[in-house]
Amino acid sequence: MVTAVRHVAPQAGTPETLAFPPLFLWGTATAAYQIEGAAAVDGRTPSIWDTYCRTPGRVRNGDTGDVATDHYHRWREDVAMMADLGVGAYRFSLAWPRIQPTGRGPSVQKGLDFYRRLTDELLEKNIKPVATLYHWDLPQELEDAGGWPERVTADRFAEYASLAAEALGDRVHTWTTLNEPWCSSFLGYGSGVHAPGRTDPVAALRAAHHLNLGHGKAVQALRASLPSRAQISVTLNFHHVRPLSEQAQDVDAARRIDALANRVFTGPMLKGAYPDDLFQDTARLTDWSFVRDGDVQEIHQPLDFLGVNYYSPTLVSGDAPESSHGSDGHGNSAHSPWPGAKDVAFHLTPGPTTAMGWSVDPTGLNELLLRLDADFPGLPLMITENGAAFDDYVNPQGEVNDPDRIAYLEGHLAAVHRAIAAGVDVRGYFLWSLLDNFEWGYGYSRRFGAVYVDYPTGKRIPKASAHWYGKVARSGVLHTSTESVD
Ligand code: IFM
């Protein structure tokens, strides 16, 4: 259900005042491996990312998550900072190798205690905890046993979900199974720019299916342990795909990327079937016989909302030479993350880009929300990640001024508001990220935080955007500096 939104219609060229629904959730987001550090503390064992970081040439500057922002020790200060900013929710992930180190067997009390302390403190400060079970840190032992391309990993994931729900279900009421399974499958097993760094297109498709299956099993495990008021979701990094032209080959390229990026997950999870065109497009690689009878029914579980991560739109044409796959903004590899779509070329939308080289285009977020609402009527949406990396620095006054990030956030929040005003049930927005952190293959070279982290000392400095976002979050009103573009 959508709460009425007061939209003060702008006059041409004037700033707008956009009021969000009273219960709209304003949050920030992080992930365990990107911020926690303490990689070998209290029983944690290596995940695939620890291994990947130690493989020469994989991560920029040889960076690792060993220390990261040291949130494992500085969590109290970080929660206090969120409270000072005035955000009402915090999305974080649980580290599987901290809770169930080998991916099998009983949980480790010290690992659970960390999250119990963290969530107690959040609740104490009136910040709603939103926990993600899996943000890419698969215990290395499970990868050694075959990883996500193997079915058994889905069963392991459901066991871990039960352990987490039993230990934290009394205080965490909002849960997400997977974060961005597209990255886990296609970057992890296809192009190899993410851990575990494998480059096998069939393994990537198998991984996607077993992540779907793990999601379905985990939702059932969570429902079995959590109180009935618990909210359960999954977070997908939707690719809002646009064809470069109306020519048939470009329109078909957009359809194929949409199938491989989005519908491979939303099909089974939300509609109860894999898309036929996905099977046809990949038929030369696999017959999909790893999808067993009953799997899709198991994957298709009722969800309380859908987590949406959006950064940039995806512009494609169908004319890349077979030997290349263009740059799709997901790191450089000789191997495509798009099985069966090597002839698809990726393009930048004209206009500004972020330090990731990603186009800044809030209209993509607005269109995506309208499309999701049309495709999955009645399913509430939550923006679980949105934000931008820029080359931030501390000025001689000790401040970090990041006007580009403020402009990015303003444009995207206005786009969310337009979707709500059009009737889309968007329940909240989580800025990625609370802190500068370990940006996977880019190491610490990209800063997404609203709060600057001085890595040698661990000192936190809220950037201008953090103060700006805090004001919007506290008031629930966005004052745009220019009329937002429709
Ligand atoms: O840092 C990542 C995050 O872990 C998942 N979503 C995209 C972010 C920016 O690349």
Side-chain angles (χ1 to χ4, degrees), residues 31 34 135-136 179-180 183 237 309 311 356 358 385 432 437-440 448:
Q34 294 181 272
H135 199 126
W136 309 349
N179 180 72
E180 302 184 352
C183 296
N237 54 320
N309 289 0
Y311 290 85
M356 296 296 285
W358 298 346
E385 283 183 30
W432 183 271
N437 60 48
F438 175 79
E439 178 54 25
W440 309 111
F448 272 93

mmCIF file with all atom_site columns, all heavy atoms in Angstrom, residues 31 34 135-136 179-180 183 237 309 311 356 358 385 432 437-440 448, ligand 1:
data_model
loop_
_atom_site.group_PDB
_atom_site.id
_atom_site.type_symbol
_atom_site.label_atom_id
_atom_site.label_alt_id
_atom_site.label_comp_id
_atom_site.label_asym_id
_atom_site.label_entity_id
_atom_site.label_seq_id
_atom_site.pdbx_PDB_ins_code
_atom_site.Cartn_x
_atom_site.Cartn_y
_atom_site.Cartn_z
_atom_site.occupancy
_atom_site.B_iso_or_equiv
_atom_site.pdbx_formal_charge
_atom_site.auth_seq_id
_atom_site.auth_comp_id
_atom_site.auth_asym_id
_atom_site.auth_atom_id
_atom_site.pdbx_PDB_model_num
ATOM   1   N N   . ALA A 1 31  ? 28.695 -3.740  4.106   1.00 0.00 ? 31  ALA A N   1
ATOM   2   C CA  . ALA A 1 31  ? 28.774 -5.203  4.044   1.00 0.00 ? 31  ALA A CA  1
ATOM   3   C C   . ALA A 1 31  ? 29.980 -5.655  4.863   1.00 0.00 ? 31  ALA A C   1
ATOM   4   O O   . ALA A 1 31  ? 30.991 -4.937  4.942   1.00 0.00 ? 31  ALA A O   1
ATOM   5   C CB  . ALA A 1 31  ? 28.932 -5.670  2.609   1.00 0.00 ? 31  ALA A CB  1
ATOM   6   N N   . GLN A 1 34  ? 33.618 -5.676  3.598   1.00 0.00 ? 34  GLN A N   1
ATOM   7   C CA  . GLN A 1 34  ? 34.082 -4.358  3.168   1.00 0.00 ? 34  GLN A CA  1
ATOM   8   C C   . GLN A 1 34  ? 34.463 -3.450  4.333   1.00 0.00 ? 34  GLN A C   1
ATOM   9   O O   . GLN A 1 34  ? 35.186 -2.473  4.132   1.00 0.00 ? 34  GLN A O   1
ATOM   10  C CB  . GLN A 1 34  ? 33.005 -3.692  2.306   1.00 0.00 ? 34  GLN A CB  1
ATOM   11  C CG  . GLN A 1 34  ? 32.793 -4.429  0.995   1.00 0.00 ? 34  GLN A CG  1
ATOM   12  C CD  . GLN A 1 34  ? 31.744 -3.782  0.122   1.00 0.00 ? 34  GLN A CD  1
ATOM   13  O OE1 . GLN A 1 34  ? 30.574 -4.077  0.228   1.00 0.00 ? 34  GLN A OE1 1
ATOM   14  N NE2 . GLN A 1 34  ? 32.160 -2.883  -0.752  1.00 0.00 ? 34  GLN A NE2 1
ATOM   15  N N   . HIS A 1 135 ? 26.613 -11.431 1.650   1.00 0.00 ? 135 HIS A N   1
ATOM   16  C CA  . HIS A 1 135 ? 27.152 -10.363 0.789   1.00 0.00 ? 135 HIS A CA  1
ATOM   17  C C   . HIS A 1 135 ? 28.543 -10.832 0.352   1.00 0.00 ? 135 HIS A C   1
ATOM   18  O O   . HIS A 1 135 ? 29.557 -10.223 0.656   1.00 0.00 ? 135 HIS A O   1
ATOM   19  C CB  . HIS A 1 135 ? 27.168 -9.038  1.539   1.00 0.00 ? 135 HIS A CB  1
ATOM   20  C CG  . HIS A 1 135 ? 27.271 -7.825  0.657   1.00 0.00 ? 135 HIS A CG  1
ATOM   21  N ND1 . HIS A 1 135 ? 26.370 -6.773  0.713   1.00 0.00 ? 135 HIS A ND1 1
ATOM   22  C CD2 . HIS A 1 135 ? 28.171 -7.472  -0.286  1.00 0.00 ? 135 HIS A CD2 1
ATOM   23  C CE1 . HIS A 1 135 ? 26.724 -5.841  -0.150  1.00 0.00 ? 135 HIS A CE1 1
ATOM   24  N NE2 . HIS A 1 135 ? 27.820 -6.243  -0.780  1.00 0.00 ? 135 HIS A NE2 1
ATOM   25  N N   . TRP A 1 136 ? 28.571 -12.030 -0.268  1.00 0.00 ? 136 TRP A N   1
ATOM   26  C CA  . TRP A 1 136 ? 29.694 -12.518 -1.082  1.00 0.00 ? 136 TRP A CA  1
ATOM   27  C C   . TRP A 1 136 ? 30.820 -13.224 -0.344  1.00 0.00 ? 136 TRP A C   1
ATOM   28  O O   . TRP A 1 136 ? 31.791 -13.641 -0.982  1.00 0.00 ? 136 TRP A O   1
ATOM   29  C CB  . TRP A 1 136 ? 30.299 -11.393 -1.918  1.00 0.00 ? 136 TRP A CB  1
ATOM   30  C CG  . TRP A 1 136 ? 29.296 -10.610 -2.717  1.00 0.00 ? 136 TRP A CG  1
ATOM   31  C CD1 . TRP A 1 136 ? 27.963 -10.917 -2.930  1.00 0.00 ? 136 TRP A CD1 1
ATOM   32  C CD2 . TRP A 1 136 ? 29.522 -9.391  -3.430  1.00 0.00 ? 136 TRP A CD2 1
ATOM   33  N NE1 . TRP A 1 136 ? 27.376 -9.971  -3.719  1.00 0.00 ? 136 TRP A NE1 1
ATOM   34  C CE2 . TRP A 1 136 ? 28.311 -9.016  -4.038  1.00 0.00 ? 136 TRP A CE2 1
ATOM   35  C CE3 . TRP A 1 136 ? 30.648 -8.589  -3.607  1.00 0.00 ? 136 TRP A CE3 1
ATOM   36  C CZ2 . TRP A 1 136 ? 28.177 -7.867  -4.821  1.00 0.00 ? 136 TRP A CZ2 1
ATOM   37  C CZ3 . TRP A 1 136 ? 30.520 -7.455  -4.387  1.00 0.00 ? 136 TRP A CZ3 1
ATOM   38  C CH2 . TRP A 1 136 ? 29.300 -7.103  -4.988  1.00 0.00 ? 136 TRP A CH2 1
ATOM   39  N N   . ASN A 1 179 ? 22.672 -10.669 -1.328  1.00 0.00 ? 179 ASN A N   1
ATOM   40  C CA  . ASN A 1 179 ? 22.920 -9.385  -1.963  1.00 0.00 ? 179 ASN A CA  1
ATOM   41  C C   . ASN A 1 179 ? 23.497 -9.618  -3.357  1.00 0.00 ? 179 ASN A C   1
ATOM   42  O O   . ASN A 1 179 ? 24.551 -10.254 -3.496  1.00 0.00 ? 179 ASN A O   1
ATOM   43  C CB  . ASN A 1 179 ? 23.927 -8.552  -1.164  1.00 0.00 ? 179 ASN A CB  1
ATOM   44  C CG  . ASN A 1 179 ? 24.166 -7.218  -1.852  1.00 0.00 ? 179 ASN A CG  1
ATOM   45  O OD1 . ASN A 1 179 ? 23.300 -6.356  -1.830  1.00 0.00 ? 179 ASN A OD1 1
ATOM   46  N ND2 . ASN A 1 179 ? 25.313 -7.067  -2.510  1.00 0.00 ? 179 ASN A ND2 1
ATOM   47  N N   . GLU A 1 180 ? 22.808 -9.125  -4.365  1.00 0.00 ? 180 GLU A N   1
ATOM   48  C CA  . GLU A 1 180 ? 23.313 -9.105  -5.735  1.00 0.00 ? 180 GLU A CA  1
ATOM   49  C C   . GLU A 1 180 ? 23.861 -10.463 -6.199  1.00 0.00 ? 180 GLU A C   1
ATOM   50  O O   . GLU A 1 180 ? 25.062 -10.590 -6.499  1.00 0.00 ? 180 GLU A O   1
ATOM   51  C CB  . GLU A 1 180 ? 24.391 -8.014  -5.884  1.00 0.00 ? 180 GLU A CB  1
ATOM   52  C CG  . GLU A 1 180 ? 23.906 -6.624  -5.523  1.00 0.00 ? 180 GLU A CG  1
ATOM   53  C CD  . GLU A 1 180 ? 24.942 -5.531  -5.774  1.00 0.00 ? 180 GLU A CD  1
ATOM   54  O OE1 . GLU A 1 180 ? 26.098 -5.851  -6.083  1.00 0.00 ? 180 GLU A OE1 1
ATOM   55  O OE2 . GLU A 1 180 ? 24.586 -4.347  -5.669  1.00 0.00 ? 180 GLU A OE2 1
ATOM   56  N N   . CYS A 1 183 ? 26.282 -10.638 -9.192  1.00 0.00 ? 183 CYS A N   1
ATOM   57  C CA  . CYS A 1 183 ? 27.740 -10.479 -9.036  1.00 0.00 ? 183 CYS A CA  1
ATOM   58  C C   . CYS A 1 183 ? 28.361 -11.794 -8.580  1.00 0.00 ? 183 CYS A C   1
ATOM   59  O O   . CYS A 1 183 ? 29.414 -12.206 -9.083  1.00 0.00 ? 183 CYS A O   1
ATOM   60  C CB  . CYS A 1 183 ? 28.051 -9.370  -8.023  1.00 0.00 ? 183 CYS A CB  1
ATOM   61  S SG  . CYS A 1 183 ? 27.494 -7.745  -8.557  1.00 0.00 ? 183 CYS A SG  1
ATOM   62  N N   . ASN A 1 237 ? 20.772 -6.518  -7.930  1.00 0.00 ? 237 ASN A N   1
ATOM   63  C CA  . ASN A 1 237 ? 21.301 -5.309  -8.589  1.00 0.00 ? 237 ASN A CA  1
ATOM   64  C C   . ASN A 1 237 ? 20.718 -5.271  -9.992  1.00 0.00 ? 237 ASN A C   1
ATOM   65  O O   . ASN A 1 237 ? 21.261 -5.832  -10.927 1.00 0.00 ? 237 ASN A O   1
ATOM   66  C CB  . ASN A 1 237 ? 22.831 -5.251  -8.614  1.00 0.00 ? 237 ASN A CB  1
ATOM   67  C CG  . ASN A 1 237 ? 23.516 -6.455  -9.199  1.00 0.00 ? 237 ASN A CG  1
ATOM   68  O OD1 . ASN A 1 237 ? 23.103 -7.583  -8.955  1.00 0.00 ? 237 ASN A OD1 1
ATOM   69  N ND2 . ASN A 1 237 ? 24.572 -6.224  -9.964  1.00 0.00 ? 237 ASN A ND2 1
ATOM   70  N N   . ASN A 1 309 ? 18.968 -2.505  -5.806  1.00 0.00 ? 309 ASN A N   1
ATOM   71  C CA  . ASN A 1 309 ? 20.228 -1.744  -5.847  1.00 0.00 ? 309 ASN A CA  1
ATOM   72  C C   . ASN A 1 309 ? 20.344 -1.128  -7.230  1.00 0.00 ? 309 ASN A C   1
ATOM   73  O O   . ASN A 1 309 ? 20.225 -1.826  -8.243  1.00 0.00 ? 309 ASN A O   1
ATOM   74  C CB  . ASN A 1 309 ? 21.438 -2.653  -5.604  1.00 0.00 ? 309 ASN A CB  1
ATOM   75  C CG  . ASN A 1 309 ? 21.525 -3.138  -4.178  1.00 0.00 ? 309 ASN A CG  1
ATOM   76  O OD1 . ASN A 1 309 ? 20.667 -2.803  -3.342  1.00 0.00 ? 309 ASN A OD1 1
ATOM   77  N ND2 . ASN A 1 309 ? 22.536 -3.935  -3.878  1.00 0.00 ? 309 ASN A ND2 1
ATOM   78  N N   . TYR A 1 311 ? 22.682 1.889   -9.485  1.00 0.00 ? 311 TYR A N   1
ATOM   79  C CA  . TYR A 1 311 ? 23.744 2.894   -9.569  1.00 0.00 ? 311 TYR A CA  1
ATOM   80  C C   . TYR A 1 311 ? 23.708 3.653   -10.900 1.00 0.00 ? 311 TYR A C   1
ATOM   81  O O   . TYR A 1 311 ? 23.982 4.835   -10.954 1.00 0.00 ? 311 TYR A O   1
ATOM   82  C CB  . TYR A 1 311 ? 25.117 2.234   -9.390  1.00 0.00 ? 311 TYR A CB  1
ATOM   83  C CG  . TYR A 1 311 ? 25.333 1.752   -7.966  1.00 0.00 ? 311 TYR A CG  1
ATOM   84  C CD1 . TYR A 1 311 ? 24.877 0.500   -7.559  1.00 0.00 ? 311 TYR A CD1 1
ATOM   85  C CD2 . TYR A 1 311 ? 25.940 2.572   -7.029  1.00 0.00 ? 311 TYR A CD2 1
ATOM   86  C CE1 . TYR A 1 311 ? 25.039 0.078   -6.237  1.00 0.00 ? 311 TYR A CE1 1
ATOM   87  C CE2 . TYR A 1 311 ? 26.104 2.160   -5.711  1.00 0.00 ? 311 TYR A CE2 1
ATOM   88  C CZ  . TYR A 1 311 ? 25.650 0.916   -5.323  1.00 0.00 ? 311 TYR A CZ  1
ATOM   89  O OH  . TYR A 1 311 ? 25.798 0.510   -4.024  1.00 0.00 ? 311 TYR A OH  1
ATOM   90  N N   . MET A 1 356 ? 33.849 5.472   -10.617 1.00 0.00 ? 356 MET A N   1
ATOM   91  C CA  . MET A 1 356 ? 33.826 4.099   -11.129 1.00 0.00 ? 356 MET A CA  1
ATOM   92  C C   . MET A 1 356 ? 33.732 4.102   -12.658 1.00 0.00 ? 356 MET A C   1
ATOM   93  O O   . MET A 1 356 ? 33.761 3.038   -13.275 1.00 0.00 ? 356 MET A O   1
ATOM   94  C CB  . MET A 1 356 ? 32.616 3.332   -10.575 1.00 0.00 ? 356 MET A CB  1
ATOM   95  C CG  . MET A 1 356 ? 32.610 3.131   -9.082  1.00 0.00 ? 356 MET A CG  1
ATOM   96  S SD  . MET A 1 356 ? 33.981 2.101   -8.498  1.00 0.00 ? 356 MET A SD  1
ATOM   97  C CE  . MET A 1 356 ? 33.463 0.465   -8.985  1.00 0.00 ? 356 MET A CE  1
ATOM   98  N N   . TRP A 1 358 ? 30.934 5.070   -14.040 1.00 0.00 ? 358 TRP A N   1
ATOM   99  C CA  . TRP A 1 358 ? 29.519 4.735   -14.273 1.00 0.00 ? 358 TRP A CA  1
ATOM   100 C C   . TRP A 1 358 ? 28.744 6.012   -14.566 1.00 0.00 ? 358 TRP A C   1
ATOM   101 O O   . TRP A 1 358 ? 28.921 7.035   -13.892 1.00 0.00 ? 358 TRP A O   1
ATOM   102 C CB  . TRP A 1 358 ? 28.901 4.054   -13.042 1.00 0.00 ? 358 TRP A CB  1
ATOM   103 C CG  . TRP A 1 358 ? 29.542 2.743   -12.676 1.00 0.00 ? 358 TRP A CG  1
ATOM   104 C CD1 . TRP A 1 358 ? 30.392 1.992   -13.438 1.00 0.00 ? 358 TRP A CD1 1
ATOM   105 C CD2 . TRP A 1 358 ? 29.388 2.027   -11.441 1.00 0.00 ? 358 TRP A CD2 1
ATOM   106 N NE1 . TRP A 1 358 ? 30.772 0.855   -12.758 1.00 0.00 ? 358 TRP A NE1 1
ATOM   107 C CE2 . TRP A 1 358 ? 30.171 0.848   -11.530 1.00 0.00 ? 358 TRP A CE2 1
ATOM   108 C CE3 . TRP A 1 358 ? 28.658 2.256   -10.255 1.00 0.00 ? 358 TRP A CE3 1
ATOM   109 C CZ2 . TRP A 1 358 ? 30.258 -0.085  -10.498 1.00 0.00 ? 358 TRP A CZ2 1
ATOM   110 C CZ3 . TRP A 1 358 ? 28.734 1.319   -9.232  1.00 0.00 ? 358 TRP A CZ3 1
ATOM   111 C CH2 . TRP A 1 358 ? 29.528 0.166   -9.357  1.00 0.00 ? 358 TRP A CH2 1
ATOM   112 N N   . GLU A 1 385 ? 20.423 -0.112  -1.980  1.00 0.00 ? 385 GLU A N   1
ATOM   113 C CA  . GLU A 1 385 ? 21.711 0.548   -2.237  1.00 0.00 ? 385 GLU A CA  1
ATOM   114 C C   . GLU A 1 385 ? 21.538 1.569   -3.346  1.00 0.00 ? 385 GLU A C   1
ATOM   115 O O   . GLU A 1 385 ? 20.931 1.271   -4.386  1.00 0.00 ? 385 GLU A O   1
ATOM   116 C CB  . GLU A 1 385 ? 22.790 -0.438  -2.716  1.00 0.00 ? 385 GLU A CB  1
ATOM   117 C CG  . GLU A 1 385 ? 23.399 -1.286  -1.655  1.00 0.00 ? 385 GLU A CG  1
ATOM   118 C CD  . GLU A 1 385 ? 24.509 -2.197  -2.201  1.00 0.00 ? 385 GLU A CD  1
ATOM   119 O OE1 . GLU A 1 385 ? 25.182 -1.822  -3.192  1.00 0.00 ? 385 GLU A OE1 1
ATOM   120 O OE2 . GLU A 1 385 ? 24.675 -3.282  -1.625  1.00 0.00 ? 385 GLU A OE2 1
ATOM   121 N N   . TRP A 1 432 ? 24.385 3.880   -0.133  1.00 0.00 ? 432 TRP A N   1
ATOM   122 C CA  . TRP A 1 432 ? 25.638 3.129   -0.154  1.00 0.00 ? 432 TRP A CA  1
ATOM   123 C C   . TRP A 1 432 ? 26.763 4.137   -0.323  1.00 0.00 ? 432 TRP A C   1
ATOM   124 O O   . TRP A 1 432 ? 26.827 4.783   -1.354  1.00 0.00 ? 432 TRP A O   1
ATOM   125 C CB  . TRP A 1 432 ? 25.681 2.103   -1.291  1.00 0.00 ? 432 TRP A CB  1
ATOM   126 C CG  . TRP A 1 432 ? 26.955 1.316   -1.204  1.00 0.00 ? 432 TRP A CG  1
ATOM   127 C CD1 . TRP A 1 432 ? 28.159 1.615   -1.780  1.00 0.00 ? 432 TRP A CD1 1
ATOM   128 C CD2 . TRP A 1 432 ? 27.163 0.129   -0.426  1.00 0.00 ? 432 TRP A CD2 1
ATOM   129 N NE1 . TRP A 1 432 ? 29.100 0.696   -1.422  1.00 0.00 ? 432 TRP A NE1 1
ATOM   130 C CE2 . TRP A 1 432 ? 28.522 -0.229  -0.586  1.00 0.00 ? 432 TRP A CE2 1
ATOM   131 C CE3 . TRP A 1 432 ? 26.338 -0.656  0.394   1.00 0.00 ? 432 TRP A CE3 1
ATOM   132 C CZ2 . TRP A 1 432 ? 29.079 -1.345  0.041   1.00 0.00 ? 432 TRP A CZ2 1
ATOM   133 C CZ3 . TRP A 1 432 ? 26.894 -1.763  1.003   1.00 0.00 ? 432 TRP A CZ3 1
ATOM   134 C CH2 . TRP A 1 432 ? 28.255 -2.093  0.823   1.00 0.00 ? 432 TRP A CH2 1
ATOM   135 N N   . ASN A 1 437 ? 35.093 2.248   2.065   1.00 0.00 ? 437 ASN A N   1
ATOM   136 C CA  . ASN A 1 437 ? 35.416 0.865   2.435   1.00 0.00 ? 437 ASN A CA  1
ATOM   137 C C   . ASN A 1 437 ? 36.126 0.122   1.314   1.00 0.00 ? 437 ASN A C   1
ATOM   138 O O   . ASN A 1 437 ? 36.475 0.706   0.291   1.00 0.00 ? 437 ASN A O   1
ATOM   139 C CB  . ASN A 1 437 ? 34.142 0.140   2.891   1.00 0.00 ? 437 ASN A CB  1
ATOM   140 C CG  . ASN A 1 437 ? 33.081 0.096   1.803   1.00 0.00 ? 437 ASN A CG  1
ATOM   141 O OD1 . ASN A 1 437 ? 33.381 -0.248  0.668   1.00 0.00 ? 437 ASN A OD1 1
ATOM   142 N ND2 . ASN A 1 437 ? 31.850 0.481   2.142   1.00 0.00 ? 437 ASN A ND2 1
ATOM   143 N N   . PHE A 1 438 ? 36.306 -1.156  1.515   1.00 0.00 ? 438 PHE A N   1
ATOM   144 C CA  . PHE A 1 438 ? 36.999 -2.025  0.560   1.00 0.00 ? 438 PHE A CA  1
ATOM   145 C C   . PHE A 1 438 ? 36.088 -2.268  -0.638  1.00 0.00 ? 438 PHE A C   1
ATOM   146 O O   . PHE A 1 438 ? 35.083 -2.973  -0.510  1.00 0.00 ? 438 PHE A O   1
ATOM   147 C CB  . PHE A 1 438 ? 37.348 -3.350  1.257   1.00 0.00 ? 438 PHE A CB  1
ATOM   148 C CG  . PHE A 1 438 ? 37.954 -4.375  0.347   1.00 0.00 ? 438 PHE A CG  1
ATOM   149 C CD1 . PHE A 1 438 ? 39.297 -4.301  0.000   1.00 0.00 ? 438 PHE A CD1 1
ATOM   150 C CD2 . PHE A 1 438 ? 37.191 -5.423  -0.158  1.00 0.00 ? 438 PHE A CD2 1
ATOM   151 C CE1 . PHE A 1 438 ? 39.863 -5.254  -0.849  1.00 0.00 ? 438 PHE A CE1 1
ATOM   152 C CE2 . PHE A 1 438 ? 37.749 -6.381  -0.994  1.00 0.00 ? 438 PHE A CE2 1
ATOM   153 C CZ  . PHE A 1 438 ? 39.087 -6.287  -1.341  1.00 0.00 ? 438 PHE A CZ  1
ATOM   154 N N   . GLU A 1 439 ? 36.418 -1.667  -1.773  1.00 0.00 ? 439 GLU A N   1
ATOM   155 C CA  . GLU A 1 439 ? 35.556 -1.780  -2.951  1.00 0.00 ? 439 GLU A CA  1
ATOM   156 C C   . GLU A 1 439 ? 36.046 -2.938  -3.837  1.00 0.00 ? 439 GLU A C   1
ATOM   157 O O   . GLU A 1 439 ? 36.500 -2.765  -4.953  1.00 0.00 ? 439 GLU A O   1
ATOM   158 C CB  . GLU A 1 439 ? 35.498 -0.435  -3.694  1.00 0.00 ? 439 GLU A CB  1
ATOM   159 C CG  . GLU A 1 439 ? 34.673 -0.406  -4.976  1.00 0.00 ? 439 GLU A CG  1
ATOM   160 C CD  . GLU A 1 439 ? 33.231 -0.883  -4.847  1.00 0.00 ? 439 GLU A CD  1
ATOM   161 O OE1 . GLU A 1 439 ? 32.662 -0.811  -3.758  1.00 0.00 ? 439 GLU A OE1 1
ATOM   162 O OE2 . GLU A 1 439 ? 32.695 -1.348  -5.863  1.00 0.00 ? 439 GLU A OE2 1
ATOM   163 N N   . TRP A 1 440 ? 36.007 -4.131  -3.274  1.00 0.00 ? 440 TRP A N   1
ATOM   164 C CA  . TRP A 1 440 ? 36.258 -5.378  -3.996  1.00 0.00 ? 440 TRP A CA  1
ATOM   165 C C   . TRP A 1 440 ? 37.510 -5.287  -4.877  1.00 0.00 ? 440 TRP A C   1
ATOM   166 O O   . TRP A 1 440 ? 38.571 -4.939  -4.399  1.00 0.00 ? 440 TRP A O   1
ATOM   167 C CB  . TRP A 1 440 ? 34.980 -5.766  -4.763  1.00 0.00 ? 440 TRP A CB  1
ATOM   168 C CG  . TRP A 1 440 ? 33.784 -5.754  -3.846  1.00 0.00 ? 440 TRP A CG  1
ATOM   169 C CD1 . TRP A 1 440 ? 32.744 -4.875  -3.864  1.00 0.00 ? 440 TRP A CD1 1
ATOM   170 C CD2 . TRP A 1 440 ? 33.526 -6.626  -2.712  1.00 0.00 ? 440 TRP A CD2 1
ATOM   171 N NE1 . TRP A 1 440 ? 31.862 -5.144  -2.845  1.00 0.00 ? 440 TRP A NE1 1
ATOM   172 C CE2 . TRP A 1 440 ? 32.308 -6.214  -2.132  1.00 0.00 ? 440 TRP A CE2 1
ATOM   173 C CE3 . TRP A 1 440 ? 34.193 -7.717  -2.142  1.00 0.00 ? 440 TRP A CE3 1
ATOM   174 C CZ2 . TRP A 1 440 ? 31.758 -6.834  -1.007  1.00 0.00 ? 440 TRP A CZ2 1
ATOM   175 C CZ3 . TRP A 1 440 ? 33.633 -8.343  -1.027  1.00 0.00 ? 440 TRP A CZ3 1
ATOM   176 C CH2 . TRP A 1 440 ? 32.444 -7.907  -0.486  1.00 0.00 ? 440 TRP A CH2 1
ATOM   177 N N   . PHE A 1 448 ? 33.091 5.326   -1.614  1.00 0.00 ? 448 PHE A N   1
ATOM   178 C CA  . PHE A 1 448 ? 31.628 5.428   -1.746  1.00 0.00 ? 448 PHE A CA  1
ATOM   179 C C   . PHE A 1 448 ? 30.983 6.014   -0.483  1.00 0.00 ? 448 PHE A C   1
ATOM   180 O O   . PHE A 1 448 ? 29.776 6.195   -0.429  1.00 0.00 ? 448 PHE A O   1
ATOM   181 C CB  . PHE A 1 448 ? 31.009 4.034   -1.949  1.00 0.00 ? 448 PHE A CB  1
ATOM   182 C CG  . PHE A 1 448 ? 30.917 3.568   -3.377  1.00 0.00 ? 448 PHE A CG  1
ATOM   183 C CD1 . PHE A 1 448 ? 31.927 2.799   -3.947  1.00 0.00 ? 448 PHE A CD1 1
ATOM   184 C CD2 . PHE A 1 448 ? 29.799 3.867   -4.150  1.00 0.00 ? 448 PHE A CD2 1
ATOM   185 C CE1 . PHE A 1 448 ? 31.827 2.346   -5.263  1.00 0.00 ? 448 PHE A CE1 1
ATOM   186 C CE2 . PHE A 1 448 ? 29.691 3.413   -5.462  1.00 0.00 ? 448 PHE A CE2 1
ATOM   187 C CZ  . PHE A 1 448 ? 30.709 2.653   -6.016  1.00 0.00 ? 448 PHE A CZ  1
HETATM 188 O O1  . IFM B 2 .   ? 30.429 -1.892  -2.948  1.00 0.00 ? 1   IFM B O1  1
HETATM 189 C C1  . IFM B 2 .   ? 29.445 -2.507  -3.716  1.00 0.00 ? 1   IFM B C1  1
HETATM 190 C C2  . IFM B 2 .   ? 28.535 -3.346  -2.841  1.00 0.00 ? 1   IFM B C2  1
HETATM 191 O O2  . IFM B 2 .   ? 29.250 -4.293  -2.118  1.00 0.00 ? 1   IFM B O2  1
HETATM 192 C C3  . IFM B 2 .   ? 27.508 -4.054  -3.671  1.00 0.00 ? 1   IFM B C3  1
HETATM 193 N N1  . IFM B 2 .   ? 26.821 -3.147  -4.540  1.00 0.00 ? 1   IFM B N1  1
HETATM 194 C C4  . IFM B 2 .   ? 27.604 -2.217  -5.317  1.00 0.00 ? 1   IFM B C4  1
HETATM 195 C C5  . IFM B 2 .   ? 28.588 -1.492  -4.426  1.00 0.00 ? 1   IFM B C5  1
HETATM 196 C C6  . IFM B 2 .   ? 29.425 -0.506  -5.250  1.00 0.00 ? 1   IFM B C6  1
HETATM 197 O O3  . IFM B 2 .   ? 30.133 -1.171  -6.235  1.00 0.00 ? 1   IFM B O3  1
#
